Amino acid sequence: MITPEEIAELVVQIRREHGLPVSPFEIDEIRYDKEEGKLFIIAHDRTDKSVIIGSSLVIGKLREALGVKLVSVYTTLDLILKRRQLEESLRFAEEHGLNFLIPIIKAEMNFPPRKWPRIGRKTHGMVFLTFNASAMLGFARAFNVQGNVYGVRYSFPKLSFTPVDRPVREVFFPNEDFLRRLAKEDDAELVISEFTFPAKGEDVVMINPMRFLKIGYFETKYLFGESRPAIFSKEDLVNYVISLVKDGLMEATDGARIIRWGWRR
């Protein structure tokens, strides 16, 4: 098993070879998923993480040098904050009888690596498509939530869903009251969408899986692919990106790339 010291030497070597400054950095831990060929570097803090990633150049060269399929970098603080959210999500699942989600929550507590169990019980729910539409559909499959899929009319022409006439803002910020009424009409136990909260459980349970499991944009893109709405407000896009970056669910570089894409549309 490769050690943190060996990874650190490689990082320094790669940075020097490519004319990048060599700043001090710390690696707290290395985890390797042999089955999937994935290496996970746990850096001490975000500054250390930036040195290791090196604008994607260093991490790409690391992957080549180590002969692995994927190299991902997290910080010790990232994992501490993730565990705190997962502890809250576990209590929510227990309080609201969402026992089928408990194995996934507990598996995420051991991340990285990610080893989700297969969920056998089918749950009747619904999905409302938002910016990360592919991710919302992917989470529904992973949770074995089956039911109707809705979205703002004309928002995702390449995806199959039932269109509803809703304000374009809801491509980013779904309306709780509307979805609560729609869920009752569908007799859905659970609604999956990109709510601004991890979960709520009044008469209908609503979950944003990204916040509920604290899985960010980059990871969902890797897990389920990337989607782009055909219609949206540029102002809403900026506010959406800012909220994800602020809450640690999106890297600022990804946010800048998405905003640039939106402004060129």
Side-chain angles (χ1 to χ4, degrees), residues 110-234:
N110 295 318
F111 176 84
R114 177 169 286 119
K115 299 290 184 181
W116 285 359
R118 184 178 179 276
I119 304 300
R121 176 202 157 184
K122 180 174 74 173
T123 298
H124 179 58
M126 55 174 265
V127 178
F128 185 80
L129 300 180
T130 40
F131 181 79
N132 282 297
S134 296
M136 296 303 107
L137 294 170
F139 279 116
R141 290 192 300 271
F143 296 170
N144 203 4
V145 171
Q146 299 180 23
N148 290 327
V149 178
Y150 298 94
V152 177
R153 189 177 299 275
Y154 309 123
S155 56
F156 294 96
K158 294 182 180 180
L159 298 178
S160 177
F161 66 95
T162 300
V164 290
D165 292 312
R166 298 298 300 170
V168 69
R169 172 179 171 77
E170 293 177 28
V171 170
F172 299 102
F173 303 104
N175 183 283
E176 296 175 49
D177 293 334
F178 168 71
L179 292 181
R180 188 174 290 110
R181 293 194 300 271
L182 196 57
K184 288 179 179 178
E185 291 175 11
D186 278 4
D187 290 323
E189 301 174 51
L190 178 69
V191 180
I192 291 176
S193 193
E194 284 187 85
F195 301 107
T196 56
F197 49 82
K200 280 187 181 179
E202 297 167 2
D203 46 350
V204 175
V205 174
M206 297 185 169
I207 289 181
N208 178 344
M210 294 174 69
R211 293 182 181 275
F212 190 71
L213 299 174
K214 204 163 177 61
I215 298 177
Y217 166 81
F218 178 81
E219 290 178 90
T220 59
K221 181 175 70 172
Y222 178 80
L223 287 170
F224 305 121
E226 194 173 22
S227 54
R228 287 282 188 274
I231 57 169
F232 59 91
S233 155
K234 292 180 179 180

Side-chain angles (χ1 to χ4, degrees), residues 35-84:
E35 182 181 345
E36 298 287 337
K38 299 175 182 176
L39 184 80
F40 302 92
I41 302 171
I42 315 301
H44 188 66
D45 61 27
R46 293 191 68 82
T47 303
D48 302 320
K49 178 179 177 178
S50 296
V51 174
I52 296 165
I53 293 175
S55 300
S56 298
L57 185 150
V58 176
I59 199 172
K61 295 297 180 180
L62 265 178
R63 183 181 59 80
E64 293 175 10
L66 296 169
V68 296
K69 293 180 181 178
L70 178 75
V71 176
S72 294
V73 187
Y74 298 88
T75 71
T76 298
L77 180 60
D78 288 337
L79 300 182
I80 290 172
L81 293 175
K82 180 180 179 71
R83 187 170 186 89
R84 286 182 181 173

